[in-house]
Structures are given as structure tokens and as C-alpha cells.
């Protein structure tokens, strides 16, 4: 019994240390399996001696039955809110007010503790003699809800503070949040179960904390950063806020690793820009930064106005979601004729830029979101991601809002619009008759990863087509400086330069040329595969559907697209003209690749190989001139099988494809 009691104490201390290393220091000492083993041993001992179970035992994180409602907790010291600042000027004024109130001499800078402002929920935890006793939400700042049992389930919340000489009582304040990764994982799991998903990490964190059943809270990836202290009894505070945070850290209360002390306005603004630039890579959602006068004596001197301290301010980032009106919905015609609905918006400042257009991607999305002309919508622009319409605010829909339907004819050329059953995209069937498609295919042809015609931007292409100077890609190569001079804002010098870069683009590679042609479903990777497989344009043009299907990773749909493209007389004509104008590329290297040991061979990897990792095995095959594909077909030369190989191995046997192991692969590579 005594030995067990001692062991129980030791196990609890060990688990507390591992929690601290894992959740606070982010530097685990042991793998999860070891942690689980210690936990299991503790549970077993406690089951044998129930009288030894204490509330601060790590086995008690999820304890207590679901409650009907949360009790109420009065904060000993009210939980403040923060004033908001939206501009550099607001910060300059804040700092000026602070210096004036403190009657600092001209030129004396104030030190501010600076931290990201998390977009989560504020909570207050009470520790008495170092033991966690009460957890409460902010509520109205004076009274909050009792979420003690739920807060116990967060493993970054120590049930006992580390070290000793803890105050008799302390309220520590922090922000509960969910990391982006945790949120995404949770939503993936929810989707897999067919449950509803949360719209953002903040809502997910709030919803998880407000569960009446602590077992549900325990299953959610909630985290916490502590940022301050409320009441303190039987203990003293250090002189500075930054020291207070270090003290919390030593007690095992996790603080944000981005916290810095900055001096004066210049320091604050550079901190704001630095965090703003790294916002997308922090891994959690923030909506600004918080600055606090670092000296606690000065904080006391400054005091409060109404609910907010004079010694702190939140410097907000521009909102990522805003509201605006839809002026119009237009259909854009792309290179392959795809019709894309685009909303023209009342310009709105969101995510740091003014947005006046948002794509709705396709008819289905337009229907699903039910966006109508005249609607008020929520626009989101996060990071550098293209702006999107989140949803319509239906309560604000005017009676004369106009729903937009898919047009039956192309808005640019009047050709029929067709939508293949089961496909999301509707297309203009006008092909090169359609000026929009001509423009888009020329833009693609000239783009950097295709023919790379420097200086032939979108605006110039549009003018060239509108002026009737260029119909197809081949026409580019007969343009003259004289003709270019007809275009707006085109001088002698830039015209000469453009002609030179058009001419320079003739010298290309077979893969780039194929990609530039803009064949449906032929992206860069497919273009490269085709170029490598066929070697010459003549071989590709002469290839049958079946022969194209022999190229690794090309399926029937793509093979058909390629076949159709080369069968079309107009395309044959353009390709011929391009070659006649001198577009050319180096002939395929006949020597080397043929002599590589695995050239012409296709491999599929399955199962775990004894020594080679998957990436190593792929690299080995590629270096020896072989190809690696993902599915087993009659074209597969070898299936390399390791341990626990599954359906691919079966398929290989069915198709009578050779199955080899790692040793045999090594022998093949070594062959000359
Ligand atoms: O991260 C936050 N959301 C946050 C909120 C950080 C802080 O330092 C705060 C806060 C709210 C009030 N400080 C106070 C005084």
C-alpha cells in the first residue's frame, strides 16, 4: 500500500512533467506510447486504491458526468476588454496619451510588452496554493460561466503549478483557441462521421468549450496561451509585465512564443508589420496584436477608463471579412470556352486591399450560394488568397434582386453554350470563332511556362485581337513593328523589343510547345510526359488513341482530347504555320536515355520495402531512366512489392505483370 502510494505520486509527477514538456515547452521528452504506458499504470494503481485518487491526478482530467447547465463564477478582479486601434495614427496617439499621463520628459520612450491577439475565448483560471480550482469564461467581464470540468480536460492547463512558493490564490487569464491544424483535423473527422463541421477555429473552440459533457471537450484539440493575471492573494508580482509572463511560464502556464518587449511607437509598428507578415504561418488565428505598458507600476498609475485599461491597446489587422453589394454578375469566357460567373461588387476594403470582383467559379457554385444581383454578401480575403463570396445575407435581399441564369449563347461570340451531363463547367462551343477564347489561348501561349514571350501581357493580347491583327498564335510570328505601333501606349522602342522577344520565343522545347498549344487537359506534366514518350511532333501527330494511352498516367479522356486536337484541320494548320515560322526545339537525345538501365520501363511500388523508403525507391528508378506510376496496368513493366503489399500486388498477378522485390530492383538498376 505504501509502496503503491509512493509510486502513484511519482507517476503523477512524471506525467505532469511530460505534459509540461509537450504542451508548454513544445519539446517532448518521450514518445506518446511511453506517456500512454505511464498513464495506464497510474490508472491501474488508482483502480486498486480508489481512496488515493485526488482531483489533481492526471487521470481525472475527464471527470464528472455531463451537467445540465454551467454555474456562475464571479471574477475577483473584473476581466477587462481592450480598446481597438486600426491605424498607425491610433497607435501614435495611444503612445502620446501614455507619455503625457505619466508626465515623461520629451524623448523618453515607453517599453511595451507586445503579443499577437488570439482569436479565441478569454478565460480565467484560479489556482489556490498552486492547485487548479476554478475555470471561468469571461462572460460580461464581471461574472462568467463555470467551465472548470471542461478546462481540466486541456492538457496545456496544469492541474498543479510547477515549482513552489505559489501565491495563496491567483487568477490567471488567457485565451483558449484551436490551432488551424487541430481545427482542420477535427472537421475532417466530423465529415467522415457525417457530423456537421464548424465554420472557423474560433467557433470550433467556443463550441467545444461550451459542451455540457466534458468528454466531448476532452476530444477536441483545444489549446491555451496565458497573457495576464487578475486577483493575487498571498504573493507578490514582479515589476514588469514581461517578468510576470516569464513567471507564468515557470509555473507551467504556456505563453505565446511571439511575445516581445518593444520600445516606443517605432518598435510597436515594426512588431505589427512583422507579425502581420507572418500571420499566415503562425498556425493559429489572430486578429491583431496587443501592446501593454511593460512597467506594472506605470500600469497602476495609468489606471482605467470605463472597462478598458489606459495602459493597453489592441492593434487590429484589417478585417478579412466584409460586407458589400453585388452590382452585377457577368460571365467570363476562358481559353477552353468555360463560362465562369464573376460578381462585380461595390468596391470594399477587405484583408488590406480594395476588392471589386469575386469569382463564383461555376454555375453550380452560383446556384448553391444563390447570389443575386442586388444582394448584400460577405466577402472574404485572407492572406493572398483570391477574394471569395462567403455567403449572401438573405435578410438584406431586396425585393428586386435578380437571379442570374446560365446563358444559352456565349456572351462574347453568340455561339451555343453546352454543358455536359455531370460536369460543373458550361462551355462556349465557338472555339476560335470566339474572341474571348482566342484571347485566352493567346495569353496562355505567350505565358512564362509556355512559350515565354516577354512583354506580351494580357492587355497587349486583348488589343491585338480587338484590332484584328492576330487571330491565332501563328499570327504572332508575322507581326511587324509598324503594326504594333497602332496599339495604344506602344512606342517604337517597346514595339521593337516585343518583336524581338516574339522572335526569341521560337527557340523552345517540345514540352513547352505542347503545353502552349492549350490542348484540353494537357498541363505541364502531361506535356512533358508526351514529349518524352513520343520524342517528335510527327510521332505524336501520327499516334493512335491506343498509342497515346501507352503514355504513363494518361487515361482515355486525356488521350481522346489529344487525338481530337490533332485531328482538327484548323489546329493542324496553326501547328504547321508555327513550324513554318521557325518555331523549333532540340531533337530528342537518342543516346543517353536509351542506354540507361531502366529506360522505357514503368514501375509501380507497393508495400513497405526492407531498406528503401518510398521516395528513395522512386528516385532510384527515375535516375536509372525508369518511370514510376501509381496504378498497375498491362503497361506496367514491374511491380516492386514489399511487406503488407495489398491490392496492387493482386492486380499485378491478375494481369501477369512481373513482381519483384527490392533486391531484384537493385540488380536491374545495376545492369548495363
Ligand atoms: O489574445 C488575446 N485575445 C488577448 C486579449 C490578449 C491580451 O493580452 C488581453 C486580452 C484582453 C484583455 N489582455 C487584456 C487585458
Amino acid at each position: 500500500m505504501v509502496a503503491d502510494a509512493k509510486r502513484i505520486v511519482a507517476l503523477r509527477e512524471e506525467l505532469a512533467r511530460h505534459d509540461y514538456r509537450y504542451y508548454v515547452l513544445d519539446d517532448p521528452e518521450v514518445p506518446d506510447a511511453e506517456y500512454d504506458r505511464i498513464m495506464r499504470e497510474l490508472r491501474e494503481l488508482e483502480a486498486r486504491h480508489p481512496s488515493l485518487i485526488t482531483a489533481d491526478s492526471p487521470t481525472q482530467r475527464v471527470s464528472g458526468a455531463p451537467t445540465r447547465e454551467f454555474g456562475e463564477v464571479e471574477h475577483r478582479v473584473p476581466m477587462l476588454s481592450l480598446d481597438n486601434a486600426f491605424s498607425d495614427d491610433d497607435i501614435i496617439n495611444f503612445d502620446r496619451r501614455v507619455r503625457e499621463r505619466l508626465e515623461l520628459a520629451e524623448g523618453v520612450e515607453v517599453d511595451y510588452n507586445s503579443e499577437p491577439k488570439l482569436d479565441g475565448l478569454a478565460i480565467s483560471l484560479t489556482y489556490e496554493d498552486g492547485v487548479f480550482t476554478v475555470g471561468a469564461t469571461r462572460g460580461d467581464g464581471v461574472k462568467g460561466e463555470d467551465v472548470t470540468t471542461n478546462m481540466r480536460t486541456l492538457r496545456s492547463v496544469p492541474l498543479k503549478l510547477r515549482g513552489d512558493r505559489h501565491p495563496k490564490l491567483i487568477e490567471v487569464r488567457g485565451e483558449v483557441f484551436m490551432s488551424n491544424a487541430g481545427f482542420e483535423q477535427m472537421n475532417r473527422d466530423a465529415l467522415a462521421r457525417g457530423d456537421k463541421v464548424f465554420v472557423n477555429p474560433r467557433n470550433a473552440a467556443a463550441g467545444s468549450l461550451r459542451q455540457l459533457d466534458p468528454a466531448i471537450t476532452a476530444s477536441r484539440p483545444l489549446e491555451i496561451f496565458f497573457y495576464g493575471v487578475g486577483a493575487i492573494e498571498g504573493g507578490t508580482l514582479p515589476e514588469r509585465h514581461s517578468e510576470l509572463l516569464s513567471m507564468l511560464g515557470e509555473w507551467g502556464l504556456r505563453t505565446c512564443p511571439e511575445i516581445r518587449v518593444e520600445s516606443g511607437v517605432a518598435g510597436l509598428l515594426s512588431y505589427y508589420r512583422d507579425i502581420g507578415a507572418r500571420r499566415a504561418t503562425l498556425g493559429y488565428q489572430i486578429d491583431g496584436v496587443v501592446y501593454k505598458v511593460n512597467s506594472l507600476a506605470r500600469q497602476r498609475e495609468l489606471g482605467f477608463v470605463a472597462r478598458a485599461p489606459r495602459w493597453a491597446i489592441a492593434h487590429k489587422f484589417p478585417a478579412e471579412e466584409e460586407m458589400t453589394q453585388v452590382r452585377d454578375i457577368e460571365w467570363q469566357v476562358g481559353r477552353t470556352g468555360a463560362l465562369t460567373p464573376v460578381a462585380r461588387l461595390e468596391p470594399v476594403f477587405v484583408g488590406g486591399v480594395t476588392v471589386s470582383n469575386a469569382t463564383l467559379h461555376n454555375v453550380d457554385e452560383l446556384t448553391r450560394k444563390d447570389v443575386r444581383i442586388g444582394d448584400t454578401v460577405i466577402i472574404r480575403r485572407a492572406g493572398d488568397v483570391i477574394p471569395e463570396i462567403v455567403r449572401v445575407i438573405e435578410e438584406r435581399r431586396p425585393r428586386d434582386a435578380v437571379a442570374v441564369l446560365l446563358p444559352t449563347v456565349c456572351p462574347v461570340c453568340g455561339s451555343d453554350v453546352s454543358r455536359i451531363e455531370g460536369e460543373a463547367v458550361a462551355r462556349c462551343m465557338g472555339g476560335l470563332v470566339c474572341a474571348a477564347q482566342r484571347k485566352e489561348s493567346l495569353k496562355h501561349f505567350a505565358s512564362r511556362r509556355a512559350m515565354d514571350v516577354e512583354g506580351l501581357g494580357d492587355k497587349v493580347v486583348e488589343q491585338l485581337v480587338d484590332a484584328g491583327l492576330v487571330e491565332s498564335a501563328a499570327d504572332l510570328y508575322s507581326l511587324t513593328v509598324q503594326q504594333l505601333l497602332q496599339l495604344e501606349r506602344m512606342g517604337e522602342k517597346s514595339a521593337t523589343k516585343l518583336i524581338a522577344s516574339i522572335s526569341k520565343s521560337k527557340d523552345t522545347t517540345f514540352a513547352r510547345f505542347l503545353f502552349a498549344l492549350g490542348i484540353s487537359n494537357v498541363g505541364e506534366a502531361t506535356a512533358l510526359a508526351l514529349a518524352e514518350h513520343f520524342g517528335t511532333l510527327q510521332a505524336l501527330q501520327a499516334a493512335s488513341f491506343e498509342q497515346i494511352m501507352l503514355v504513363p498516367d494518361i487515361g482515355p479522356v486525356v488521350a481522346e482530347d489529344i487525338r481530337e486536337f490533332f485531328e482538327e484541320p484548323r489546329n493542324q494548320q496553326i501547328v504547321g504555320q508555327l513550324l513554318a515560322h521557325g518555331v523549333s526545339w532540340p531533337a530528342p537525345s537518342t543516346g543517353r536515355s536509351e542506354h540507361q538501365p531502366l529506360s522505357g520501363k514503368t514501375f509501380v511500388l507497393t508495400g513497405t520495402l526492407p531498406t528503401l523508403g518510398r521516395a528513395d525507391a522512386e528516385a532510384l528508378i527515375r535516375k536509372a531512366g525508369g518511370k514510376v506510376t501509381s496504378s498497375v496496368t498491362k503497361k506496367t513493366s514491374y511491380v516492386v512489392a514489399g511487406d503488407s503489399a495489398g491490392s496492387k500486388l493482386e492486380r499485378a498477378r491478375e494481369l501477369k505483370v512481373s513482381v519483384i522485390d527490392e533486391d531484384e530492383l537493385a540488380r536491374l538498376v545495376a545492369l548495363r
Side-chain angles (χ1 to χ4, degrees):
M1 172 84 181
V2 178
D4 282 354
K6 276 196 175 154
R7 181 77 183 143
I8 284 176
V9 171
L11 291 172
R12 286 178 189 160
E13 276 172 9
E14 198 176 350
L15 287 170
R17 187 178 79 245
H18 291 322
D19 279 343
Y20 174 70
R21 292 281 305 244
Y22 189 96
Y23 291 102
V24 182
L25 300 186
D26 198 13
D27 177 27
E29 177 184 314
V30 295
D32 292 354
E34 169 67 0
Y35 183 97
D36 295 343
R37 197 192 56 74
I38 304 168
M39 182 68 92
R40 226 169 14 247
E41 184 183 348
L42 178 60
R43 278 191 206 287
E44 280 161 18
L45 284 175
E46 286 183 346
R48 244 182 281 153
H49 310 289
S51 64
L52 297 180
I53 298 175
T54 56
D56 64 3
S57 172
T59 58
Q60 303 303 300
R61 285 207 180 263
V62 187
S63 66
T67 42
R68 311 268 313 253
E69 58 180 324
F70 296 111
E72 216 178 53
V73 173
E74 185 158 350
H75 304 301
R76 285 180 169 76
V77 169
M79 289 183 78
L80 306 168
S81 49
L82 293 170
D83 267 346
N84 288 324
F86 297 97
S87 67
D88 291 2
D89 275 350
D90 290 348
I91 298 306
I92 292 167
N93 291 330
F94 163 73
D95 174 66
R96 186 170 35 72
R97 288 194 303 271
V98 165
R99 285 184 293 112
E100 280 173 6
R101 266 205 175 250
L102 294 173
E103 298 181 351
L104 299 183
E106 196 67 33
V108 175
E109 302 273 40
V110 176
D111 280 348
Y112 294 95
N113 188 85
S114 308
E115 61 187 315
K117 183 171 185 297
L118 275 103
D119 201 4
L121 301 93
I123 50 90
S124 180
L125 304 185
T126 306
Y127 284 85
E128 292 170 69
D129 292 318
V131 176
F132 173 55
T133 52
V134 177
T137 61
R138 177 175 182 280
D140 62 5
V142 176
K143 281 184 185 154
E145 286 180 316
D146 184 342
V147 287
T148 310
T149 26
N150 284 346
M151 286 306 302
R152 301 176 70 84
T153 70
L154 272 70
R155 280 170 58 188
S156 45
V157 170
L159 300 174
K160 253 170 101 169
L161 298 180
R162 291 172 62 81
D164 45 23
R165 305 201 311 154
H166 305 121
K168 187 108 207 74
L169 178 146
I170 187 167
E171 285 176 342
V172 287
R173 268 89 197 255
E175 195 85 358
V176 171
F177 65 97
M178 208 176 269
S179 71
N180 299 338
F183 166 73
E184 282 154 20
Q185 181 63 51
M186 182 182 123
N187 266 354
R188 270 198 298 275
D189 295 347
L191 265 182
R193 284 193 309 268
D195 288 351
K196 87 173 201 2
V197 295
F198 284 100
V199 294
N200 59 43
R202 207 206 98 84
N203 288 9
S208 300
L209 192 61
R210 294 203 73 266
Q211 291 292 328
L212 293 168
D213 180 356
I216 298 181
T217 308
S219 74
R220 303 282 173 80
L222 290 176
E223 300 184 38
I224 192 164
F225 280 144
F226 291 93
Y227 57 66
V229 164
I232 178 161
E233 293 167 15
T236 49
L237 293 176
E239 284 181 24
R240 298 182 183 81
H241 191 81
S242 50
E243 292 162 350
L244 175 68
L245 295 176
S246 304
M247 186 176 86
L248 296 185
E250 279 157 29
W251 286 343
L253 300 164
R254 188 177 179 225
T255 54
C256 177
E258 307 296 337
I259 297 176
R260 304 277 181 274
V261 175
E262 298 286 355
S263 201
V265 170
L268 298 184
L269 297 183
S270 98
Y271 183 79
Y272 178 80
R273 309 224 194 293
D274 173 50
I275 297 291
R278 293 190 295 116
R279 183 179 186 183
T281 58
L282 292 177
Y284 43 82
Q285 301 287 313
I286 62 172
D287 57 0
V289 297
V290 179
Y291 313 130
K292 293 178 178 172
V293 171
N294 202 26
S295 153
L296 297 190
R298 284 179 170 173
Q299 287 189 5
R300 280 187 290 273
E301 194 180 333
L302 287 161
F304 307 89
V305 249
R307 274 301 182 61
R310 286 204 187 88
W311 42 265
I313 199 157
H315 193 181
K316 302 294 274 287
F317 292 131
E320 292 186 325
E321 286 192 1
E322 264 303 350
M323 223 169 62
T324 192
Q325 269 94 41
V326 177
R327 281 180 177 170
D328 199 1
I329 297 173
E330 288 174 7
W331 294 90
Q332 264 177 6
V333 184
R335 168 166 64 85
T336 59
L339 262 62
T340 306
V342 177
R344 307 285 176 209
L345 307 166
E346 199 60 51
V348 60
F349 190 72
V350 54
V353 299
T354 300
V355 171
S356 41
N357 300 302
T359 173
L360 283 153
H361 303 290
N362 55 51
V363 207
D364 287 343
E365 168 135 327
L366 175 67
T367 316
R368 188 166 53 77
K369 292 192 171 162
D370 189 20
V371 180
R372 304 183 191 177
I373 299 168
D375 265 338
T376 298
V377 292
I378 294 174
I379 297 291
R380 179 174 176 82
R381 180 186 181 271
D384 286 329
V385 181
I386 57 164
E388 61 163 357
I389 294 186
V390 180
R391 63 181 174 88
V392 170
I393 305 178
E394 270 183 53
E395 293 77 3
R396 304 215 178 179
R397 171 166 288 163
R399 296 171 64 146
D400 59 355
V402 180
V404 171
L405 300 176
L406 179 68
T408 52
V409 296
C410 173
V412 177
C413 70
S415 301
D416 283 348
V417 167
S418 125
R419 188 174 175 195
I420 295 166
E421 194 83 45
E423 269 192 32
V425 283
R427 287 178 207 279
C428 156
M429 301 315 284
L432 292 176
V433 168
C434 179
Q437 291 188 50
R438 283 206 305 273
K439 286 176 184 172
E440 294 310 312
S441 46
L442 281 164
K443 288 176 194 172
H444 171 78
F445 183 85
S447 66
R448 200 170 52 79
R449 311 191 74 114
M451 298 297 279
D452 192 20
V453 186
E454 225 184 295
L456 189 56
D458 292 1
K459 289 271 143 42
V460 180
V461 168
E462 278 164 27
Q463 288 190 63
L464 286 171
V465 173
D466 290 340
L469 290 173
V470 172
E471 278 235 334
S472 78
D475 300 338
L476 287 175
Y477 294 100
S478 47
L479 278 174
T480 62
V481 172
Q482 281 313 315
Q483 287 175 315
L484 287 185
L485 286 174
Q486 300 172 22
L487 305 184
E488 266 171 59
R489 295 197 310 192
M490 180 69 73
E492 186 85 38
K493 207 167 148 195
S494 33
T496 312
K497 233 172 118 182
L498 182 51
I499 294 293
S501 61
I502 291 174
S503 179
K504 188 168 154 234
S505 75
K506 291 182 199 170
D507 188 3
T508 186
T509 67
F510 186 23
R512 274 177 178 273
F513 176 76
L514 283 177
F515 176 56
L517 290 178
I519 306 166
S520 288
N521 286 312
V522 176
E524 267 185 298
T526 307
L528 190 62
L530 286 169
E532 280 186 351
H533 185 91
F534 289 102
T536 66
L537 179 62
Q538 293 68 27
L540 174 58
Q541 280 174 314
S544 66
F545 173 83
E546 287 74 18
Q547 285 168 326
I548 299 173
M549 285 282 285
L550 289 174
V551 180
D553 289 332
I554 289 192
V557 175
V558 185
E560 185 56 34
D561 285 336
I562 296 165
R563 214 34 274 133
E564 268 179 17
F565 181 90
F566 288 111
E567 268 166 14
E568 165 68 42
R570 170 80 182 139
N571 291 335
Q572 291 170 2
Q573 186 193 2
I574 293 172
V575 168
Q577 287 170 344
L578 285 169
L579 300 181
H581 280 297
V583 171
S584 66
W585 50 86
S589 55
T590 42
R592 224 175 82 79
S593 75
E594 304 305 312
H595 287 124
Q596 284 187 283
L598 303 186
S599 63
K601 301 276 186 278
T602 309
F603 291 75
V604 172
L605 298 166
T606 178
T608 314
L609 299 180
T611 67
L612 289 173
R614 195 178 180 86
D616 297 333
E618 286 188 12
L620 181 71
I621 293 168
R622 293 222 171 86
K623 259 180 78 181
K627 293 203 170 73
V628 181
T629 64
S630 53
S631 51
V632 182
T633 67
K634 284 185 301 220
K635 289 179 274 173
T636 308
S637 319
Y638 297 98
V639 168
V640 187
D643 267 0
S644 34
S647 60
K648 289 180 188 174
L649 182 55
E650 276 169 37
R651 181 107 179 104
R653 298 212 166 107
E654 273 170 41
L655 296 174
K656 303 205 166 39
V657 170
S658 312
V659 177
I660 60 172
D661 63 10
E662 184 184 297
D663 280 347
E664 286 167 297
L665 172 64
R667 266 196 296 279
L668 283 179
V669 171
L671 281 178
R672 292 282 137 182

